[in-house]
Amino acid sequence: MSDLQKSNSNLQAVGCVEIDDLSIRFASPQGREVVAVETTDLRLEPGSFTALIGPSGCGKSTILNAIAGFVSPSSGSICVDGKAVTGPDPEVGVVFQQYALFPWFTAIGNVKFALKRFRLGREELQRQAHEALKEVGLGDRASAYPGQLSGGMKQRVALARTFASKPKVLLMDEPFGALDAQTRISMHELLLRIWDAHRTTVLFVTHDVDEALLLSDRVFVMSEGPGRIIDSFEVQSDRPRVVDQVDEHFVANRNRITKLLRQSHADSI
Ligand SMILES: Nc1ncnc2c1ncn2[C@@H]1O[C@H](COP(=O)(O)OP(=O)(O)OP(=O)(O)O)[C@@H](O)[C@H]1O
Ligand SMILES: [Mg+2]
């Protein structure tokens, strides 16, 4: 067990997310009401890795944005560690598909910016930011600007920045959707390694069935929009999971999700 894991195991479990009877409606530009999310319950256990999967437009990002405090529920409630979400919280980190790095800051500058709220001394700030970049394998690219980095590297800086600020909940919205297959696999390995060390509660949005099953402890499946949760189950397959060496649980779960998504699509047309 690493020192970080030891110190984390002494901490009280934090990062519990509870969603009850959530529904979210928007007004369309024509003044009509769009139901983005229908009555939904969802619970993220502290330190767990949960995937939220569903077809395009079913409301995955809307749920994630509501947990992040960017969007208000129309009804129902969202609590993090028993406290109702009323707006963005620095302890709830978000990683989007678009890297959202500041192009005018170097890689280390981006990480330092995220650490501002800790009011660290200059040297400590530099040390922690550098440590975070080392953790994602970019210790030697600290002074590169985002424009000089590949897509995978930019997303690694985004991961370093987010984990460095020690969120208790990490929300990820199709973070690797723009990456090629090989880079994606190495990002999965990296993410799981960092998650294992930090044990942050992760909600990972994807529409890729294999990605959901490779990464998570639990999967929530949503119907076609307006979305609601139509299934949720634990992923029993042992880790590490490798896409071309999957076990019988993996195959059964893959079939289960694919069937549900196909059925939900057929019902919607
Ligand atoms: N700010 C908004 N105003 C009006 N409608 C919105 C708004 N945000 C989302 N919607 C609508 O809510 C529904 C759900 O959108 P959302 O982006 O959450 O889907 P998604 O599951 O994340 O899709 P994708 O997989 O394509 O990212 C869609 O019909 C979308 O058009
Ligand atoms: Mg989305």
Side-chain angles (χ1 to χ4, degrees):
M1 201 187 249
S2 70
D3 287 348
L4 184 58
Q5 282 172 310
K6 271 185 224 151
S7 71
N8 280 353
S9 64
N10 294 332
L11 299 175
Q12 225 189 346
V14 290
C16 177
V17 178
E18 290 164 296
I19 296 185
D20 288 305
D21 286 336
L22 176 72
S23 73
I24 298 176
R25 298 180 282 277
F26 294 109
S28 75
Q30 297 78 26
R32 276 186 295 113
E33 192 178 71
V34 179
V35 181
V37 177
E38 263 186 338
T39 323
T40 291
D41 293 337
L42 189 147
R43 183 185 162 90
L44 308 181
E45 297 298 335
S48 64
F49 198 122
T50 304
L52 181 61
I53 187 164
S56 185
C58 74
K60 303 181 294 297
S61 297
T62 303
I63 292 181
L64 186 137
N65 287 331
I67 302 171
F70 303 146
V71 165
S72 299
S74 305
S75 64
S77 66
I78 306 176
C79 290
V80 176
D81 289 334
K83 217 174 122 229
V85 172
T86 53
D89 174 347
E91 290 196 278
V92 176
V94 188
V95 176
F96 298 104
Q97 184 173 331
Q98 305 77 8
Y99 319 107
L101 299 178
F102 295 118
W104 54 84
F105 285 156
T106 58
I108 198 159
N110 270 280
V111 180
K112 281 182 180 173
F113 188 82
L115 294 177
K116 251 171 91 176
R117 72 186 175 94
F118 298 113
R119 300 179 185 282
L120 303 168
R122 210 183 149 95
E123 273 178 28
E124 183 57 15
L125 179 64
Q126 178 74 15
R127 194 193 64 75
Q128 288 196 16
H130 201 261
E131 201 53 41
L133 284 176
K134 256 173 56 191
E135 197 175 17
V136 299
L138 287 178
D140 58 345
R141 302 305 302 272
S143 50
Y145 286 89
Q148 300 170 317
L149 298 172
S150 69
M153 288 174 179
K154 280 187 256 200
Q155 204 55 307
R156 282 197 268 160
V157 176
L159 278 185
R161 178 179 65 178
T162 308
F163 278 106
S165 67
K166 301 179 184 66
K168 53 186 186 182
V169 178
L170 174 55
L171 308 170
M172 308 187 81
D173 196 353
E174 304 198 37
F176 310 139
L179 305 178
D180 64 81
Q182 206 48 49
T183 308
R184 214 180 222 229
I185 291 170
S186 52
M187 291 304 291
H188 289 163
E189 287 166 4
L190 176 67
L191 172 62
L192 287 176
R193 187 162 51 72
I194 306 180
W195 167 71
D196 201 32
H198 293 256
R199 284 290 162 169
T200 303
T201 307
V202 175
L203 180 64
F204 189 100
V205 164
T206 180
H207 50 237
D208 185 310
V209 178
D210 281 355
E211 185 169 53
L213 292 172
L214 285 171
L215 295 176
S216 58
D217 299 325
R218 173 165 284 277
V219 175
F220 285 88
V221 185
M222 291 183 75
S223 65
E224 290 271 337
R228 57 190 178 80
I229 306 282
I230 49 174
D231 196 11
S232 120
F233 58 89
E234 258 178 61
V235 182
Q236 312 89 335
S237 305
D238 292 335
R239 297 177 188 277
R241 304 175 191 148
V242 182
V243 75
D244 53 1
Q245 296 164 31
V246 295
D247 61 15
E248 74 276 17
H249 296 300
F250 195 102
V251 175
N253 286 332
R254 183 195 274 150
N255 292 344
R256 175 175 176 162
I257 300 176
T258 310
K259 196 170 160 190
L260 272 167
L261 294 178
R262 197 172 344 103
Q263 184 62 47
S264 161
H265 183 68
D267 290 347
S268 72
I269 49 177

